[in-house]
DNA sequence: CTAAATGATTACTA
DNA sequence: TAGTAATCATTTAG
């Protein structure tokens, strides 16, 4: 890049005003003239940094108005395209991020990013059903869940909109800037397009963070909603009585069969696993402190005796769910601290 | 308010 | 895999 201008100057004579500066050059003479023009322009570019601002501005204008400018600009763009941009272009076209897709799917499933109300309530209903809480005070919690979900959704959409707007503003700004600059340096429309792509990717990575934190919030809300420990309700008195009745009338072997559990569950309007939980808790707590349960045990023993008596008096045993070995020959806790629980 | 009671969960065992 | 033991988180009693 050192020799060429000089070389051109040595030959170039008076071709400055040549009208035919087309892309093709039919003969060497025309080529020489063009070369000289290019040499002039390059010279000006090289020295432009040495000039004052006003001077530079004037020169810039002159350069811009130069008849060779568009052609040279195209050439430079092409060169640039072939070198720098093609290298960068090779590593683009990344596949859609699987994690982002997962987040999107979840937000959609959770009704955060989907259609306004429909998806949300459906998901909430599904969650409510999964909670399995025998629908008593379920609706209150349900609406609470929905309210919180819609709050999350609102924040999400507001933020998303904000990001989108910022992205658009920034993109427009950069595009204007590049277009403006493309008057003085070789920037092809393709390159602008690519830059826009880069900006969008950056912003979408920010959006991913938003999506991620929204997902987290939904998960926490959901787990809170589903985790029954956090909103435990005691069983009603009747259910507790039925369970206790069974427990104390089967003290020697307080392990209800699957069928018995089902029956108890139905009677108490709770689930079978709740029955299992109850018996698990009862056995361990009874074993740990039999003394404390003495009174309760006596009470239920007496009650069972009475019902049994009245039942046998009527010649029927319709009461008490499948009672194989009730009070019969088993020691009431009054007489001994039965140790049949492992 | 604190402590006890209680339903659910977890890690482990036979 | 059902059951045990420890523990959590909540409700209820005092």
């Amino acid at each position: 890049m050192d020799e060429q201008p000089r070389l051109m100057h040595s030959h170039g004579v008076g071709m400055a005003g040549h009208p035919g500066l087309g892309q093709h050059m039919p003969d060497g003479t025309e080529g020489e003239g063009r070369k000289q023009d290019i040499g002039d322009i390059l010279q000006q570019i090289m020295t432009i940094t040495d000039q004052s601002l006003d001077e530079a501005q004037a020169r810039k204008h002159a350069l811009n108005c130069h008849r060779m400018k568009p052609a040279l600009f195209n050439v430079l763009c092409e060169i640039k395209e072939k070198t720098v941009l093609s290298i960068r272009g090779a590593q683009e076209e990344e596949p859609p991020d699987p994690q982002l897709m997962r987040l999107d799917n979840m937000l959609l499933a959770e009704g955060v990013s989907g259609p306004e109300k429909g998806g949300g309530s459906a998901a909430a209903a599904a969650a409510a059903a999964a909670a399995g809480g025998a629908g008593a005070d379920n609706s209150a919690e349900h609406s609470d869940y929905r309210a919180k979900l819609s709050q999350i959704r609102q924040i999400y959409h507001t933020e998303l909109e904000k990001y989108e707007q910022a992205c658009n503003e920034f993109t427009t700004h950069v595009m204007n800037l590049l277009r403006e600059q493309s008057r003085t340096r070789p920037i092809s429309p393709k390159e602008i397009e690519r830059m826009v792509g880069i900006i969008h990717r950056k912003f979408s990575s920010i959006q991913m963070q938003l999506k991620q934190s929204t997902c987290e919030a939904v998960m926490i809300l959901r787990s809170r909603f589903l985790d029954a420990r956090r909103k435990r309700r005691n069983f009603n008195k009747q259910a507790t009585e039925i369970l206790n009745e069974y427990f104390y009338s089967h003290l020697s072997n307080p392990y209800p069969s699957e069928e018995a559990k089902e029956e108890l569950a139905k009677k108490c309007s709770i689930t079978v696993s709740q029955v299992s939980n109850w018996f698990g808790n009862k056995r361990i707590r009874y074993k740990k402190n039999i003394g404390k349960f003495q009174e309760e045990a006596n009470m239920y023993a007496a009650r069972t005796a009475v019902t049994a008596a009245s039942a046998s008096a009527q010649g029927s045993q319709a009461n008490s769910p499948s009672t194989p070995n009730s009070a019969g020959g088993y020691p009431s806790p009054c007489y001994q601290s039965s140790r049949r629980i492992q």
Side-chain angles (χ1 to χ4, degrees), chain A residues 216-273:
Chain A
E216 247 167 60
V218 171
M219 290 300 272
I220 289 168
L221 175 64
R222 218 190 143 119
S223 74
R224 255 168 206 279
F225 184 69
L226 292 178
D227 189 354
R229 275 194 301 195
R230 294 179 186 276
K231 268 254 153 140
R232 179 175 65 74
R233 302 264 83 168
N234 289 355
F235 299 151
N236 61 43
K237 220 166 163 88
Q238 198 190 343
T240 315
E241 262 173 42
I242 292 168
L243 293 168
N244 272 317
E245 222 164 88
Y246 188 98
F247 180 80
Y248 286 110
S249 61
H250 297 74
L251 240 194
S252 59
N253 184 34
Y255 297 89
S257 66
E258 195 57 34
E259 299 86 69
K261 279 182 191 171
E262 276 165 27
E263 204 176 334
L264 284 165
K266 207 195 290 183
K267 277 194 166 187
C268 302
S269 7
I270 58 179
T271 67
V272 172
S273 66

Side-chain angles (χ1 to χ4, degrees), chain A residues 267-294:
Chain A
K267 277 194 166 187
C268 302
S269 7
I270 58 179
T271 67
V272 172
S273 66
Q274 281 179 305
V275 173
S276 296
N277 284 343
W278 190 91
F279 273 89
N281 282 324
K282 191 71 184 182
R283 281 190 298 262
I284 195 71
R285 282 162 185 166
Y286 179 83
K287 190 181 98 172
K288 264 191 169 174
N289 192 352
I290 291 170
K292 201 169 70 185
F293 289 90
Q294 218 36 265

Side-chain angles (χ1 to χ4, degrees), chain A residues 5 26 28 31 38 53 73 75-76 98 102 107 121 134 179 220 242 250 252 255 266 278 281 289 319:
Chain A
I38 294 170
L53 213 60
F73 181 83
V75 172
L76 286 174
R102 241 190 44 229
L107 288 174
S121 55
R179 260 192 224 121
I220 289 168
I242 292 168
H250 297 74
S252 59
Y255 297 89
K266 207 195 290 183
W278 190 91
N281 282 324
N289 192 352
N319 212 339

Side-chain angles (χ1 to χ4, degrees), chain A residues 119-156:
Chain A
S121 55
D137 52 347
N138 208 318
S139 59
E141 292 182 25
H142 187 151
S143 71
D144 189 41
Y145 175 83
R146 226 161 54 181
K148 282 184 175 150
L149 190 69
S150 87
Q151 196 180 332
I152 289 173
R153 182 170 49 216
Q154 199 190 330
I155 291 169
Y156 171 78

Side-chain angles (χ1 to χ4, degrees), chain A residues 187-213:
Chain A
I187 299 172
S188 64
K190 216 173 178 181
E191 199 182 341
I192 295 180
E193 211 174 281
R194 213 172 332 234
M195 187 56 78
V196 169
I198 290 169
I199 292 168
H200 282 166
R201 268 197 292 283
K202 287 278 176 218
F203 270 90
S204 79
S205 83
I206 296 172
Q207 280 189 9
M208 187 157 109
Q209 282 178 13
L210 170 68
K211 284 176 181 176
Q212 194 149 23
S213 59

